[in-house]
Amino acid sequence: MATITALLGVVVTFFFNIRSNRLTRQGLDQDRELARQRMEQDQAVAEATATRSERAAEVAEEHSSRIVDALEKIAASGSVSAHSAPASKVRWQLRHEQGDRYRLTNEGDLTAHTVELDTDETLPLHALEGDPDEVGPGEALSFIASTSMHTRDRTLTVTWAEANTDHRQRWRNPLPPRPSRRA
């Protein structure tokens, strides 16, 4: 009887040992899978961050070339008269309003016709308010821009035509940062 009891104890111990090993392997497999998923997610975030940096550099370069062009025009014309009025044009201002809502205002003195807003596919725009067919001086378009950590590019591209022209103009600017939640 003692031999049978001891043998039964060995069989039960062996069974529990096999079960414990199986559960340990399953746990290790799950840990490996979670680590792989975290690595893929970290890589996607790193790629999105790198793309945002590249796009920000492109926008900065575009702004710099506009400044250089303007300075070259000023230099070519001689000097700027204190009495000369600035040329009429559409001039955009992009501001954060609240939450994910932004406001694009025409602060120039000409009307922008057939205004189009474009962003990277990872930055969808929703709930456009205002008339994009004609945005007059002082008028604005309001929209929601849904950003996430996977947003590759936060740049808004605005294209429009001024009155009596077919020439489309373009303005690019990154979305302004949201205010800090710490107060």
Side-chain angles (χ1 to χ4, degrees), residues 8-9 22 35 56 70 73 89 99-100 104-105 125 168 173 178:
L8 187 60
R22 184 179 306 144
K73 287 178 185 175
K89 65 179 184 175
D100 288 337
L104 177 68
T105 306
L125 299 182
R168 303 282 299 161
N173 205 62
R178 294 170 66 156

Side-chain angles (χ1 to χ4, degrees), residues 58-112:
E58 289 172 6
V59 169
E61 184 178 339
E62 186 176 315
H63 286 278
S64 296
S65 76
R66 278 197 248 159
I67 291 169
V68 168
D69 290 345
L71 291 173
E72 287 173 350
K73 287 178 185 175
I74 291 171
S77 69
S79 65
V80 178
S81 169
H83 302 290
S84 64
S88 296
K89 65 179 184 175
V90 172
R91 193 174 78 242
W92 298 108
Q93 177 68 35
L94 181 60
R95 291 188 179 103
H96 175 260
E97 282 192 317
Q98 179 180 11
D100 288 337
R101 184 158 289 282
Y102 293 86
R103 181 175 213 71
L104 177 68
T105 306
N106 178 359
E107 293 190 342
D109 51 8
L110 288 181
T111 298

Side-chain angles (χ1 to χ4, degrees), residues 120-133:
D120 185 77
E121 64 187 19
T122 60
L123 179 62
L125 299 182
H126 309 284
L128 179 65
E129 293 178 2
D131 182 12
D133 289 334

Side-chain angles (χ1 to χ4, degrees), residues 8-151:
L8 187 60
V10 168
V11 169
V12 169
T13 302
F14 183 71
F15 172 75
F16 281 118
N17 190 16
I18 290 173
R19 177 139 173 81
S20 174
N21 286 340
R22 184 179 306 144
L23 290 174
T24 301
R25 275 193 304 269
Q26 287 175 347
L28 289 173
D29 290 344
Q30 288 173 347
D31 287 346
R32 276 190 222 107
E33 179 61 22
L34 286 174
R36 185 191 63 74
Q37 289 174 354
R38 275 191 226 113
M39 186 176 74
E40 287 175 356
Q41 185 178 23
D42 290 346
Q43 184 177 7
V45 169
E47 288 173 1
T49 301
T51 303
R52 277 194 301 271
S53 297
E54 289 172 4
R55 300 281 168 82
E58 289 172 6
V59 169
E61 184 178 339
E62 186 176 315
H63 286 278
S64 296
S65 76
R66 278 197 248 159
I67 291 169
V68 168
D69 290 345
L71 291 173
E72 287 173 350
K73 287 178 185 175
I74 291 171
S77 69
S79 65
V80 178
S81 169
H83 302 290
S84 64
S88 296
K89 65 179 184 175
V90 172
R91 193 174 78 242
W92 298 108
Q93 177 68 35
L94 181 60
R95 291 188 179 103
H96 175 260
E97 282 192 317
Q98 179 180 11
D100 288 337
R101 184 158 289 282
Y102 293 86
R103 181 175 213 71
L104 177 68
T105 306
N106 178 359
E107 293 190 342
D109 51 8
L110 288 181
T111 298
H113 298 277
T114 60
V115 177
E116 295 177 5
L117 307 180
D118 189 35
T119 59
D120 185 77
E121 64 187 19
T122 60
L123 179 62
L125 299 182
H126 309 284
L128 179 65
E129 293 178 2
D131 182 12
D133 289 334
E134 285 192 6
V135 181
E139 294 179 351
L141 298 174
S142 170
F143 58 89
I144 293 176
S146 303
T147 61
S148 73
M149 67 182 190
H150 295 292
T151 301

